[in-house]
Amino acid sequence: MNELLSVKNLTKTFFELRPEKTPSFILDNISFNLKKGGKIALIGPDGSGKTTLLRLLSGLLLPDEYCLKKEINSILIENIKPYKNHEKIKKIIGYM
């Protein structure tokens, strides 16, 4: 397989950011693929979700489907689920 990263229908909300308890969508139904050897850039203003996406990719945050007790299939890095395999992911992705 030639795919390094697969993100499919990824959603992340933070309820605590809105006192009226309506969800604040930080990432809403994001999908993209990255093939080995490819490049990707994240650009956008403060608060647009760049850091949230990186935290999800590195397994530091959990996608909404985990909170809803569903199987997480929205993020795969070399067919590895980041939230389950921190040690393997640390060797693939750098984040600071």
Side-chain angles (χ1 to χ4, degrees):
M1 182 190 279
N2 200 21
E3 205 158 276
L4 174 67
L5 171 63
S6 174
V7 176
K8 183 173 63 171
N9 304 325
L10 176 63
T11 297
K12 182 64 182 168
T13 55
F14 292 112
F15 288 92
E16 65 274 9
L17 297 179
R18 309 264 317 225
E20 62 273 11
K21 302 292 185 205
T22 57
S24 177
F25 286 93
I26 304 303
L27 300 171
D28 189 11
N29 202 27
I30 304 294
S31 296
F32 63 91
N33 294 313
L34 180 64
K35 295 188 184 284
K36 289 184 180 183
K39 296 179 183 178
I40 193 166
L42 293 175
I43 60 171
D46 290 350
S48 62
K50 300 178 301 290
T51 300
T52 299
L53 178 59
L54 288 173
R55 290 178 57 110
L56 286 160
L57 294 176
S58 63
L60 296 173
L61 274 179
L62 297 170
D64 283 359
E65 64 237 61
Y66 180 85
C67 300
L68 297 171
K69 309 245 188 277
K70 295 181 180 177
E71 179 66 22
I72 298 178
N73 294 314
S74 54
I75 303 171
L76 292 174
I77 299 174
E78 290 191 348
N79 283 323
I80 300 169
K81 296 177 182 182
Y83 77 101
K84 280 190 172 182
N85 300 290
H86 295 285
E87 292 306 312
K88 288 182 182 177
I89 292 301
K90 285 194 303 189
K91 295 176 183 175
I92 298 170
I93 190 171
Y95 172 71
M96 56 185 291

